[in-house]
Amino acid sequence: MAILLTGGAGFIGSHTAVACLNASVDVVLADNFSNSSPKVLDRIEKITGKRPALYNVDVCDKRALRDIFAERFITGVIHFAGLKAVGESVRLPLAYYRNNLDSCLSVLEVMQEFGCKEFVFSSSATVYGDQPAPLTESADTGHCSNPYGWTKFMIEQILKDAAKANPELHVVLLRYFNPIGAHESGLIGENPNGIPNNLMPYITQVAVGKLKQLTIFGDSYDTPDGTGVRDYIHVMDLAEGHLAALGYAEAHAGCEVFNLGTGKGVSVLEMVNTFSSVNGVEVPYIIGERRAGDLATVYADPAKAEQILGWHAKRTVADMCRDSWNWQKNNPNGYDG
Ligand code: UFG
């Protein structure tokens, strides 16, 4: 019996694999390595002492998926696989809609063929768009500002409809806030292709000397120090949130949605300063223009996950900074050394 992690070699997938294996939940990984490396498997084995099966497949490919379901007894799926770069989605909307919707539909159809009922989906706080924080799960959705966000919104709708039509389906939608950090071993972490779009990998690449300086995208927002405020969550807390969600999905039919965040807003400047002081490294920065589509303040109300899943984020911003740096400094070129 195993849980299939699509996109299981990626940043959140690999950390969730570790959390599952450490909790004696067997996993099978499926990934096409479009934004990940098969080398992550050795690292997962080093951390957990277990080497899960890893299939090199595109999960849009139903035939390849069927082979996995035929070879393994898959009792549930956590669907991480998907394209996730906001700016790229504006340039390549068709690729985003095709890939993200198709992969989810393929997985759901093959699950149905094999009688597999539990499905946990990687959604995003981006579905809330521009609304006052803290965001509860009952806040309006569908105010996305880019195709990436719309794919998350549309897949949520597909899953709600699928669960309504099939009372045997057990679906959990997880709306992530801003996952950063790395496993405390420093053996696995975030390894973006090219120049990072997101704040923490940009900071760590400046700190390690690969990039010259950070550009802070605006300091005139209506926030305490003028820079953008987000709800950063340690990726191992997030991974443990998936385990809690799997437990919930096992016991509950229907479709339920949970925020996975800390409930605390942290500004860009606070993050840069915490990173420097915790790790004793300088992060040179300049203040630049606002980035198109950015919001001033986004953070979660995480109470529902605490009440119903019994899960809350435990790790601090200092932990996130320490672990992100530990990963980056030991692996300046990601899984290639
Ligand atoms: N930022 C900078 N400089 C950078 C990168 C980011 O100042 O080089 C700032 C942004 O302006 C923002 C904050 O750092 O204020 C966080 O930016 P990220 O790009 O790290 O994250 P976002 O909040 O923009 O987006 C993230 C995910 C999306 C997801 C969204 C959900 O990347 O996939 O959270 O709220 F949709």
Side-chain angles (χ1 to χ4, degrees):
M1 273 174 32
I3 303 296
L4 175 64
L5 309 185
T6 72
F11 175 42
I12 303 171
S14 59
H15 287 79
T16 302
V18 165
C20 287
L21 293 169
N22 282 342
S24 298
V25 174
D26 202 7
V27 293
V28 168
L29 316 185
D31 208 298
N32 66 355
F33 309 116
S34 70
N35 189 22
S36 61
S37 166
K39 292 181 184 160
V40 74
L41 204 62
D42 293 335
R43 309 293 185 89
I44 291 173
E45 187 177 12
K46 236 184 205 165
I47 297 170
T48 65
K50 296 171 192 162
R51 192 173 181 88
L54 171 60
Y55 289 83
N56 179 358
V57 300
D58 183 330
V59 293
C60 295
D61 178 350
K62 283 171 71 174
R63 269 196 297 193
L65 271 177
R66 281 190 194 105
D67 289 345
I68 302 177
F69 276 79
E71 274 174 34
R72 311 272 164 180
F73 181 30
I74 304 294
T75 55
V77 175
I78 309 182
H79 184 51
F80 296 104
L83 301 175
K84 61 165 192 173
V86 172
E88 184 184 62
S89 79
V90 176
R91 288 195 305 280
L92 302 172
L94 300 187
Y96 272 68
Y97 288 115
R98 167 64 68 197
N99 186 75
N100 289 4
L101 299 184
D102 221 11
S103 58
C104 185
L105 291 168
S106 298
V107 172
L108 286 170
E109 286 168 354
V110 173
M111 281 174 65
Q112 200 167 28
E113 288 172 27
F114 285 82
C116 177
K117 300 186 179 84
E118 291 157 24
F119 191 88
V120 177
F121 176 59
S122 299
S123 189
S124 166
T126 196
V127 298
Y128 294 121
D130 192 3
Q131 295 185 78
L135 292 152
T136 64
E137 289 83 350
S138 57
D140 216 12
T141 58
H143 304 282
C144 305
S145 56
N146 57 74
Y148 158 76
W150 282 115
T151 67
K152 295 296 181 189
F153 173 77
M154 289 176 187
I155 293 170
E156 284 199 1
Q157 188 61 46
I158 289 169
L159 290 166
K160 286 175 194 165
D161 290 339
K164 214 181 276 172
N166 178 359
E168 300 226 307
L169 262 184
H170 298 216
V171 177
V172 177
L173 312 176
L174 298 177
R175 294 183 182 148
Y176 307 159
F177 282 69
N178 289 58
I180 61 168
H183 188 264
E184 61 179 9
S185 63
L187 287 167
I188 57 174
E190 189 168 11
N191 182 29
N193 279 337
I195 296 177
N197 297 307
N198 298 117
L199 180 63
M200 183 53 86
Y202 208 104
I203 290 177
T204 60
Q205 292 200 15
V206 169
V208 85
K210 290 178 77 173
L211 296 168
K212 192 167 139 254
Q213 63 194 10
L214 171 73
T215 301
I216 294 182
F217 296 142
D219 67 351
S220 61
Y221 285 103
D222 184 15
T223 61
D225 63 22
T227 65
V229 166
R230 295 290 181 275
D231 185 339
Y232 297 93
I233 175 169
H234 195 293
V235 65
M236 285 310 297
D237 277 326
L238 193 71
E240 289 159 10
H242 288 75
L243 262 179
L246 269 181
Y248 181 87
E250 255 171 53
H252 299 85
C255 180
E256 201 59 70
V257 53
F258 298 98
N259 287 336
L260 294 185
T262 66
K264 291 184 207 84
V266 174
S267 77
V268 179
L269 266 177
E270 278 178 87
M271 186 58 85
V272 171
N273 291 335
T274 307
F275 186 93
S276 294
S277 66
V278 166
N279 296 316
V281 283
E282 284 305 304
V283 181
Y285 67 83
I286 55 165
I287 306 292
E289 296 292 306
R290 290 183 180 193
R291 181 171 64 178
D294 269 357
L295 302 173
T297 301
V298 182
Y299 60 93
D301 178 339
K304 186 178 173 189
E306 168 81 70
Q307 278 157 18
I308 297 180
L309 301 179
W311 169 92
H312 66 267
K314 298 187 183 83
R315 293 157 180 92
T316 64
V317 175
D319 295 334
M320 302 177 208
C321 289
R322 185 199 58 226
D323 292 337
S324 289
W325 179 230
N326 189 33
W327 154 252
Q328 179 76 79
K329 74 170 191 280
N330 290 320
N331 306 271
N333 299 310
Y335 292 101
D336 292 321

